[in-house]
Amino acid sequence: MDLSADRTTFKRHSLLSTFVAHFFGILAIVLMLIWLLHYREGIEYGSDNPLKILNVHPFLMYCGFLFLLGEAMMTYKTAYASHQVQKMVHGGLHLIGLVLGIVGICAAFKFHDKLNLKDMVSLHSWIGLTTFILLCLQWLLGAFTFLAPQSSSGTRRKMMPWHVLGGRALLYMGIVAALTGLMQRATMLGQSTNAESRLINFTGLAILLFGVSVDFSVAVGRYT
C-alpha cells in the first residue's frame, strides 16, 4: 500500500470538502440576510421593534456562532500553518463564536420580555441552549487540555479523540437547533408567501449541507 499516495488522496478530498463547506456556508449567510432584510423587518438589537430584535437571534446564531464553529473545525485540519497557529486560530474562532452566540441568545430572551412571552418552552430552545452550554464546556476543557502549558502530552493524546468526537457531535446538534429554529419561525409566520417559504427551505438546506461538508472535511483530514 502506497501511504504517501493515500495521504495525497485524502488531502485532496479534505480540501474539496472544505471548499464545498465554504460554498454552502456563505450561501446560507447570503440567503439568511436576504430573508431577514428583504422579507422581514431587518436586524437591530437596540430597536423598539421586537421583530427586529428577534431577527438578531437567527443571524448571530448561524452567521456568528455555527458558521464560526465550522470554520474553527476546518482551520485546525486544513489550514496551511504551524500546529501552534492552528490551535490558536481554532480556539480563537470558537471563542468569538461563543461571544456572538451569547448576544444571539440574549436577543431571543429580550424579544420574549418585550412581548411577555415565556422562555424555554420550545424544543428548539431546549436543543439550542443545551448545545451552547455543552460547547462552552467543550471550549473550556479544550483550552485547559490543549493550550495550557502544564498539560502533559499524554493527557492531550488521550483527550484528542474525545475532543474531536465531541466537536463533531455538537456541530450536528447546532445544525438541528438551527433547522428547528427555522421551522419554528416559519410556523410563526404562517409562511406568508411562497417565495419566502422556499427561501427559508433553501437556507435550511444550505446550513445542513454546510455542516455535513465540515464534518466530512474533519473526518478525512484525520488521515492526512
Side-chain angles (χ1 to χ4, degrees), residues 77-95:
K77 290 295 182 181
T78 61
Y80 290 100
S82 67
H83 184 60
Q84 188 63 27
V85 170
Q86 287 178 329
K87 287 199 300 183
M88 296 303 295
V89 174
H90 176 76
L93 287 174
H94 270 300
L95 182 59

Side-chain angles (χ1 to χ4, degrees), residues 51-111:
L51 294 177
K52 286 187 176 182
I53 299 173
L54 178 61
N55 289 342
V56 174
H57 178 71
F59 176 71
L60 287 184
M61 296 314 293
Y62 172 68
C63 303
F65 174 63
L66 191 56
F67 180 75
L68 288 181
L69 169 63
E71 288 294 314
M73 294 173 67
M74 290 187 293
T75 296
Y76 187 77
K77 290 295 182 181
T78 61
Y80 290 100
S82 67
H83 184 60
Q84 188 63 27
V85 170
Q86 287 178 329
K87 287 199 300 183
M88 296 303 295
V89 174
H90 176 76
L93 287 174
H94 270 300
L95 182 59
I96 295 171
L98 290 173
V99 171
L100 294 176
I102 290 172
V103 179
I105 292 172
C106 289
F109 284 122
K110 186 176 181 180
F111 168 75

Side-chain angles (χ1 to χ4, degrees), residues 104-123:
I105 292 172
C106 289
F109 284 122
K110 186 176 181 180
F111 168 75
H112 291 166
D113 290 341
K114 280 189 171 292
L115 297 184
N116 295 318
L117 299 175
K118 291 183 178 180
D119 297 321
M120 302 300 298
V121 296
S122 67
L123 179 62

Side-chain angles (χ1 to χ4, degrees), residues 99-201:
V99 171
L100 294 176
I102 290 172
V103 179
I105 292 172
C106 289
F109 284 122
K110 186 176 181 180
F111 168 75
H112 291 166
D113 290 341
K114 280 189 171 292
L115 297 184
N116 295 318
L117 299 175
K118 291 183 178 180
D119 297 321
M120 302 300 298
V121 296
S122 67
L123 179 62
H124 162 68
S125 62
W126 285 28
I127 296 174
L129 193 59
T130 299
T131 302
F132 188 81
I133 292 172
L134 290 176
L135 269 167
C136 288
L137 295 176
Q138 166 95 341
W139 187 88
L140 289 173
L141 182 61
F144 282 115
T145 302
F146 301 105
L147 296 179
Q150 65 270 22
S151 178
S152 67
S153 58
T155 300
R156 295 174 184 175
R157 191 164 46 252
K158 290 178 181 178
M159 288 298 298
M160 179 58 77
W162 295 104
H163 184 72
V164 173
L165 179 63
R168 292 172 66 184
L170 289 169
L171 172 68
Y172 279 109
M173 288 179 66
I175 293 170
V176 172
L179 298 184
T180 53
L182 287 174
M183 291 176 62
Q184 180 178 316
R185 189 70 186 278
T187 302
M188 289 170 56
L189 298 173
Q191 296 185 340
S192 53
T193 66
N194 288 332
E196 183 177 6
S197 174
R198 286 194 294 270
L199 181 59
I200 294 174
N201 290 342

Side-chain angles (χ1 to χ4, degrees), residues 9-56:
T9 301
F10 281 127
K11 188 70 174 180
R12 189 184 305 116
H13 290 168
S14 180
L15 291 174
L16 177 60
S17 60
T18 301
F19 173 80
V20 173
H22 280 100
F23 171 78
F24 284 115
I26 294 172
L27 176 62
I29 292 176
V30 172
L31 293 176
M32 184 169 289
L33 285 173
I34 293 173
W35 173 44
L36 296 176
L37 297 178
H38 178 68
Y39 288 96
R40 295 294 104 203
E41 294 73 13
I43 307 169
E44 185 180 350
Y45 188 87
S47 174
D48 292 327
N49 184 344
L51 294 177
K52 286 187 176 182
I53 299 173
L54 178 61
N55 289 342
V56 174

